[in-house]
Structures are given as C-alpha cells and as structure tokens.
C-alpha cells in the first residue's frame, strides 16, 4: 500500500463511512437543534439586555455590564466546564446538552448585547426627541423607532459573531454531548480510523457554509450606506 492508498484508507474509507454514517448523522440533528436554541436564546436575551440599559438605571446597568464583560472575556470551554462540573457541587445537575445551550447562549447574549447597544447608541438623539414629541411613550419610541434602526446597524457584526459562537458547539464533545464531533470521536474510537472525523468535518461545512454565505449577503444588504 503506497502513501496515497494509506491516506485514502485512513481518511476516506468507504466501509467505515457506510458503517458509521447513521451514527454521525444523529449528531447532525443534535448540532442543528442545539445551534438554533443557542442562536434564538443569545440574540433575544442580548436585545432584551440592551433595551434594559436604555432605561439608564444604575442598579440594572451595572449587573448587565458585569455579565457582558465576564462572558465576553471567558473562553467558552471554561464556562461549559465550570457549569457542568461546578453546579453538581451545590446540588444542581443539568443534562450536558442543557449545559452547552446555557453556556453558549450566555456567551452569544453577552456579545449580542454589546452589538445591539452600539446600534442603539448610534441612533441620533434627535430620533428619541422627535418620537417623544409626537406623544409616543418611552417604550413605544424604543420599540417602533430606535430598535428597528439599531437592528439594521447590528446585523453585519451580529451575523459574524453568531456563526463564530455557534461553531463552539463542537466543544460539547468535552462533556459528552452527542453532536457531530462527539459522534465522530466515538466512531473514531470504535473503528480506529479517521474517516468519521472527515465525515464530521464535511457535515460542519454543510451546516455552516450556507450561514456564512447568508451572512455575506446580509452584510452587503445592510452595510453602511446601503439601501
């Protein structure tokens, strides 16, 4: 067996692929569902936190800023491990998938809050005054006038950050989440062949490549000066 044949046998073994494909495909659905949960949770919570900051209440803003700074600074893996191994010490035991969802959702919420807050503060103050002068309340002004403009400004950086954070779903394999990489590692251990990792990499490209293309389209659509 020459070098090329060894390479194909190790990374593109058809027998191994056919044997473990259903197993890795199960991990694909876990990755998609967990990714959707992280994205929805992170973006919605980030927008809510940014909206709360507009109230200008110090007792609310300080905890929000601390949360955002801490979760932006910590590596996602450290957050996952602390929650997964730390909470049982105080009697709270969560499924590994829930830990992954909470951890990455919190990280995305922290980054989303900063992106939305930057968008909100970029809206000229005159927009607030003009809306309030028409008789709109604070909440109406925020919801109908300020947030639509802030979201438009936030879309380009937010899409990139969302993709970056959701790719960390692969870290779930460290706590036993049966997502793509976790299933691929299990298949690798059973087969003693790297083909499952190749399959896992292919599925990650299949999942995230359309998101990357969509993010570029959104950036182009909502870039500064765009219409």
């Amino acid at each position: 067996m020459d070098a090329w044949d060894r390479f194909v046998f190790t990374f593109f073994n058809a027998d191994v692929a056919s044997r473990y494909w259903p197993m890795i495909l199960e991990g694909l659905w876990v990755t998609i569902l967990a990714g959707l949960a992280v994205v929805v949770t992170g973006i919605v919570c980030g927008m809510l936190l940014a909206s709360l900051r507009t109230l200008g209440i110090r007792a609310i803003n300080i905890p929000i800023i601390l949360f955002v700074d801490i979760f932006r600074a910590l590596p996602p893996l450290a957050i996952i491990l602390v929650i997964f191994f730390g909470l049982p010490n105080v009697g709270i035991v969560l499924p590994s998938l829930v830990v992954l969802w909470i951890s990455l959702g919190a990280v995305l919420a922290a980054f989303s809050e900063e992106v939305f807050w930057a968008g909100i503060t970029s809206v000229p103050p005159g927009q607030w005054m003009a809306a309030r002068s028409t008789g709109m309340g604070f909440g109406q002004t925020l919801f109908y006038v300020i947030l639509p403009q802030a979201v438009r400004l936030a879309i380009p950086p937010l899409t990139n950050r969302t993709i970056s954070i959701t790719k960390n779903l692969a870290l779930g394999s460290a706590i036993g989440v049966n997502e793509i990489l976790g299933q691929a590692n299990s298949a690798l251990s059973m087969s003693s062949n790297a083909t499952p990792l190749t399959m896992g990499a292919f599925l990650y490209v299949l999942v995230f490549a359309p998101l990357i293309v969509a993010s570029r389209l959104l950036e182009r659509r909502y870039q500064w000066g765009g219409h």
Side-chain angles (χ1 to χ4, degrees), residues 43 47 50 111-125 127-128 145-162 215 218-227:
I43 292 178
M47 182 179 291
F111 280 97
S112 297
E113 190 279 335
E114 281 298 284
V115 172
F116 284 123
W117 179 246
I120 290 172
T121 55
S122 296
V123 177
Q127 297 281 336
W128 287 93
V145 178
I146 305 302
L147 278 183
Q149 298 179 70
V151 169
R152 185 180 186 277
L153 296 172
I155 283 177
L158 186 60
T159 52
N160 287 326
R161 182 59 63 181
T162 299
S215 72
L218 284 171
E219 287 177 18
R220 191 174 306 163
R221 174 66 179 83
Y222 292 102
Q223 64 185 343
W224 287 98
H227 298 286

Side-chain angles (χ1 to χ4, degrees), residues 51 54-56 123-147 149:
S51 299
T54 62
L55 297 174
V123 177
Q127 297 281 336
W128 287 93
M129 293 184 288
R132 296 302 297 273
S133 68
T134 64
M136 297 177 68
F138 181 87
Q140 291 176 312
T141 301
L142 177 64
F143 186 78
Y144 292 110
V145 178
I146 305 302
L147 278 183
Q149 298 179 70

Side-chain angles (χ1 to χ4, degrees), residues 85-218:
F85 293 108
L87 289 184
N89 293 318
V90 293
I92 302 175
V93 180
L94 299 174
S96 55
L97 185 58
V98 174
V99 171
L100 183 64
W101 165 49
I102 292 174
S103 302
L104 296 185
V107 173
L108 181 55
F111 280 97
S112 297
E113 190 279 335
E114 281 298 284
V115 172
F116 284 123
W117 179 246
I120 290 172
T121 55
S122 296
V123 177
Q127 297 281 336
W128 287 93
M129 293 184 288
R132 296 302 297 273
S133 68
T134 64
M136 297 177 68
F138 181 87
Q140 291 176 312
T141 301
L142 177 64
F143 186 78
Y144 292 110
V145 178
I146 305 302
L147 278 183
Q149 298 179 70
V151 169
R152 185 180 186 277
L153 296 172
I155 283 177
L158 186 60
T159 52
N160 287 326
R161 182 59 63 181
T162 299
I163 292 172
S164 175
I165 292 173
T166 50
K167 284 193 294 186
N168 286 317
L169 288 167
L171 298 175
S173 60
I175 56 174
V177 176
N178 292 324
E179 46 75 55
I180 293 174
L181 185 59
Q183 294 288 64
N185 281 331
S186 297
L188 170 64
S189 300
M190 291 185 286
S191 65
S192 299
N193 186 279
T195 300
L197 293 181
T198 303
M199 298 163 63
F202 171 77
L203 288 179
Y204 267 109
V205 172
L206 188 66
V207 171
F208 285 101
L211 296 179
I212 293 172
V213 172
S215 72
R216 288 179 178 174
L217 294 175
L218 284 171

Side-chain angles (χ1 to χ4, degrees), residues 45-57:
C45 290
M47 182 179 291
L48 289 175
L49 291 175
S51 299
L52 285 174
R53 284 185 68 179
T54 62
L55 297 174
I57 301 174

